């Protein structure tokens, strides 16, 4: 039931996210709830290790250096969650412009992230808080409509 509710919530957030949500500040305490930078680093290590092997979307990462991706995602999630990190990577639209990503790919990525958060013991409520911050990015990541 938990997975169904989470998937429904993610799908709803991805499809119905309001533009204002992208401007929302990080929820109070999310950075701490994710384990601060060490916890976010572990989460992104797990996530990248899974996503590059995922048969649905792993091919999108064949030319990506996993270590660089882990570092960039760690900084991005750290900053988004209210931590002291500074993400200096490309904006999402530029980074994904030539990747031919459709909704199915994006949803698979979210599923892999959920599996990583489960594996890292991140509570359901904190997972939803992070997903709510990431959801508005779908507009820039999905390049095939």
């Amino acid at each position: 039931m938990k997975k169904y509710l989470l998937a429904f919530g993610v799908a709803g957030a991805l499809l119905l996210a309001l533009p204002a949500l992208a401007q929302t500040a990080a929820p109070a305490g999310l950075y701490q709830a994710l384990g601060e930078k060490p916890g976010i680093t572990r989460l992104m290590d797990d996530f990248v290790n899974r996503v590059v092997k995922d048969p649905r979307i792993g091919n999108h990462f064949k030319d990506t250096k996993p270590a660089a991706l882990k570092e960039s995602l760690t900084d991005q999630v750290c900053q988004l969650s209210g931590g002291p990190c500074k993400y200096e990577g490309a904006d999402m639209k530029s980074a994904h412009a030539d990747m031919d990503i459709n909704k199915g790919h994006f949803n698979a990525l979210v599923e892999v992230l959920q599996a990583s958060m489960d594996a890292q013991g991140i509570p359901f409520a904190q997972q939803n808080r992070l997903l709510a911050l990431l959801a508005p990015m779908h507009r820039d990541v999905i390049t095939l409509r």
Side-chain angles (χ1 to χ4, degrees):
M1 181 71 166
K2 175 183 164 187
K3 290 288 185 191
Y4 175 76
L5 290 174
L6 185 59
F8 181 77
V10 170
L14 293 175
L15 296 175
L16 303 173
L18 299 172
L21 186 60
Q23 304 302 319
T24 304
L30 181 57
Y31 174 70
Q32 289 77 15
L34 294 173
E36 299 183 343
K37 186 149 184 194
I40 294 168
T41 299
R42 284 189 304 276
L43 174 61
M44 291 301 105
D45 284 349
D46 184 272
F47 172 67
V48 170
N49 290 340
R50 289 173 190 262
V51 83
V52 299
K53 296 175 188 170
D54 189 281
R56 300 167 295 174
I57 55 176
N59 193 46
H60 283 96
F61 299 94
K62 69 181 184 316
D63 296 327
T64 304
K65 294 178 182 173
L69 181 59
K70 290 175 185 181
E71 183 178 343
S72 179
L73 290 173
T74 296
D75 286 343
Q76 187 175 32
V77 171
C78 177
Q79 180 177 326
L80 280 172
S81 66
C85 305
K86 182 168 169 62
Y87 173 70
E88 296 179 349
D91 65 90
M92 294 298 96
K93 191 169 195 116
S94 299
H96 298 90
D98 298 323
M99 293 184 71
D100 295 332
I101 298 171
N102 63 35
K103 287 181 184 179
H105 297 132
F106 189 81
N107 290 340
L109 186 92
V110 171
E111 289 175 20
V112 173
L113 179 57
Q114 289 172 297
S116 292
M117 289 190 288
D118 284 342
Q120 295 299 311
I122 296 172
F124 180 71
Q126 307 315 322
Q127 291 184 27
N128 281 340
R129 292 170 71 192
L130 179 57
L131 291 171
L133 288 174
L134 298 172
M137 292 180 187
H138 83 280
R139 286 183 220 89
D140 293 331
V141 172
I142 296 172
T143 57
L144 294 178
R145 308 273 176 207

